[in-house]
Amino acid sequence: MSRGPEGFRAGASTHARGAAAEDAAAEWLEERGFEILERNVRYDVGEIDVVAREGETLCFIEVKARLDGTYGSPLEAVTRHRQRRLLRAASLYLVDRSWPGPCRFDVLGMVAEGEAWRVELVRDAFQG
């Protein structure tokens, strides 16, 4: 992944940090064959960080990034409450776009390590 965590460092605004992490996540996913369809899809019930296709499967991807492991794994930050919000937003997305095929929920965790990211993708991380 060529996009490092430089824009994610302490002192940057929360919005800027989130955008930097999501940019790096989208690049990482594309490098692995995902087709990014949309980012930051917002509904009143929640937001979808990344909507992508992997083969014939539509993927709703929650991106969580951390400067380090002080507050635990970024994957642990996707609580049941956050999952419910993502499920509701994805349901609206599927209706809006009339998606006929399979879909799943993935979580992409990123931890800054020097000038690079340590990335972990959990496919089909939870069920709707």
Side-chain angles (χ1 to χ4, degrees):
M1 179 186 319
S2 58
R3 201 179 292 253
E6 56 277 346
F8 192 77
R9 298 293 174 206
S13 73
T14 302
H15 178 74
R17 290 175 57 184
E22 288 176 12
D23 287 347
E27 185 176 316
W28 188 91
L29 289 162
E30 286 178 328
E31 289 171 356
R32 282 148 185 85
F34 286 78
E35 176 189 357
I36 306 301
L37 302 177
E38 297 186 62
R39 291 177 49 191
N40 301 310
V41 179
R42 289 182 174 85
Y43 292 99
D44 289 341
V45 297
E47 178 182 344
I48 305 165
D49 292 334
V50 178
V51 180
R53 279 183 55 173
E54 185 179 40
E56 296 303 314
T57 302
L58 186 68
C59 305
F60 299 104
I61 304 169
E62 177 71 9
V63 176
K64 289 295 181 190
R66 298 283 184 261
L67 283 174
D68 56 37
T70 302
Y71 297 103
S73 162
L75 300 176
E76 295 169 340
V78 184
T79 63
R80 188 71 194 139
H81 174 74
R82 181 68 191 116
Q83 291 173 20
R84 281 192 302 272
R85 291 181 59 83
L86 183 56
L87 288 164
R88 289 183 195 124
S91 294
L92 293 172
Y93 184 94
L94 292 170
V95 170
D96 286 349
R97 308 309 193 280
S98 299
W99 177 259
C103 64
R104 69 173 192 244
F105 296 93
D106 297 349
V107 178
L108 191 142
M110 305 166 59
V111 177
E113 292 186 339
E115 298 304 312
W117 291 103
R118 179 172 39 88
V119 179
E120 182 178 358
L121 175 65
V122 179
R123 288 177 172 86
D124 208 12
F126 55 91
Q127 300 295 312

